Amino acid sequence: MPLFPRRLAAVASAALLSAGLFTGVYTPRAADAIVGGTAAAPPPWLAAIGTPAFVVRPSGQFCGGALVTADKVVTAAHCVDFLRAAPTLLSATFGRADLSKKDGETVQVRSIWVQPGFRETEFKGETVEHHDVAVLTLSRPVINRLPLLIDRSGTHLPGAPTQILGWGTTSELDLFNTRLRQANISLVTDARCADAYGSAFDRRDMICAGSTHGDTCQFDSGGPLVVNGRLTGLTSWAYGCARAGYPGVYTRLAPFNLPL
Ligand code: ARG
């Protein structure tokens, strides 16, 4: 019966951009979404992923994504896998800070590629996502929006500037946020993440970040984890939101060879 999977999640600035504007490197203005964040203007590459059929959220939004070429958006596999047979029901909206408005630009999705090996397991009743990445091909190229570069290094110094963005809920109890928010957070070491999640955490395809002070939450899934101005991760899963000892888990993008 559920038209949408139980955990349609989300994935998910003071968007401005200095040199970044010309290089595809995202440099937010100092700011502090999302749990523990602040309101943000959408950076040009940020997509709200949704479908008009999802009437419980304005704009039909249920996930985030990032434009990485003129006609490709990277998002979480768990956001779109269920629509593989009906990709044109999906769309990507750019430039809309508040989902209850009609501004910005909405582009229909033509096809959905889901990473082979995407699968779900469980940790304390939460869905654990593996190989949680998908590529959406848009029905037309988006012009005048600079894509975000994907991080290929896979290595990050502790303390590297890290941001999360999304239209998701601002706490586990909030059901209704519709405004884009952003937070500056810190990466969490693989060792600490393995302490939290045991074998549910796989360092080969996951990277952890955030704390009680800043985390993604429901409807932020698929949205960006930006490290050093590059798309490094995608909001994927966690135990609750912003709970002590349970950081957010993001799809680690560097290992994947995406069809871009
Ligand atoms: N899969 C989650 C969702 O349903 C993404 C949220 C991630 N949670 C977190 N605390 N970082 O939207």
Side-chain angles (χ1 to χ4, degrees), residues 7-11 78 129 215-221 235-242 247-250:
R7 302 196 74 263
L8 254 196
V11 200
H78 82 264
E129 315 286 352
D215 190 13
T216 42
C217 202
Q218 306 319 320
F219 304 114
D220 287 322
S221 283
T235 301
S236 182
W237 65 278
Y239 179 60
C241 300
V249 188
Y250 297 78

Side-chain angles (χ1 to χ4, degrees), residues 1-259:
M1 146 257 152
L3 179 55
F4 294 88
R6 158 175 87 86
R7 302 196 74 263
L8 254 196
V11 200
S13 84
L16 280 244
L17 308 175
S18 46
L21 190 56
F22 305 102
T23 59
V25 171
Y26 177 58
T27 319
R29 203 164 59 200
D32 291 20
I34 300 194
V35 184
T38 56
W45 45 262
L46 185 67
I49 308 298
T51 172
F54 193 46
V55 294
V56 303
R57 295 268 297 167
S59 296
Q61 182 269 348
F62 53 85
C63 276
L67 188 74
V68 296
T69 73
D71 70 345
K72 302 263 195 274
V73 169
V74 170
T75 187
H78 82 264
C79 289
V80 297
D81 187 58
F82 71 109
L83 275 175
R84 255 204 283 195
T88 57
L89 290 181
L90 269 185
S91 57
T93 298
F94 302 92
R96 187 173 296 173
D98 185 338
L99 299 171
S100 64
K101 303 263 159 55
K102 297 259 174 281
D103 56 347
E105 176 180 21
T106 298
V107 185
Q108 195 179 39
V109 169
R110 167 181 296 160
S111 62
I112 300 174
W113 176 91
V114 173
Q115 174 66 44
F118 164 65
R119 66 193 172 92
E120 299 187 318
T121 57
E122 214 177 282
F123 173 84
K124 287 196 188 192
E126 295 276 355
T127 307
V128 175
E129 315 286 352
H130 304 265
H131 288 46
D132 193 14
V133 55
V135 177
L136 310 178
T137 301
L138 303 177
S139 58
R140 60 168 172 87
V142 171
I143 52 171
N144 295 333
R145 295 189 184 276
L146 214 86
L148 184 63
L149 295 179
I150 297 181
D151 171 74
R152 299 286 177 197
S153 75
T155 53
H156 310 283
L157 295 173
T162 302
Q163 289 89 34
I164 47 177
L165 287 138
W167 290 267
T169 56
T170 57
S171 78
E172 288 181 20
L173 302 176
D174 163 30
L175 297 179
F176 298 114
N177 179 56
T178 61
R179 288 170 196 245
L180 180 65
R181 300 180 68 81
Q182 184 242 341
N184 296 326
I185 62 172
S186 298
L187 293 175
V188 168
T189 63
D190 292 349
R192 262 222 296 138
C193 206
D195 284 346
Y197 293 116
S199 61
F201 171 70
D202 185 340
R203 66 186 67 204
R204 291 170 301 181
D205 70 334
M206 301 174 192
I207 181 168
C208 296
S211 68
T212 55
H213 299 295
D215 190 13
T216 42
C217 202
Q218 306 319 320
F219 304 114
D220 287 322
S221 283
L225 175 77
V226 181
V227 183
N228 283 321
R230 306 254 162 132
L231 183 62
T232 298
L234 304 175
T235 301
S236 182
W237 65 278
Y239 179 60
C241 300
R243 293 199 192 180
Y246 294 97
V249 188
Y250 297 78
T251 310
R252 187 189 290 272
L253 285 177
F256 292 105
N257 224 322
L258 304 176

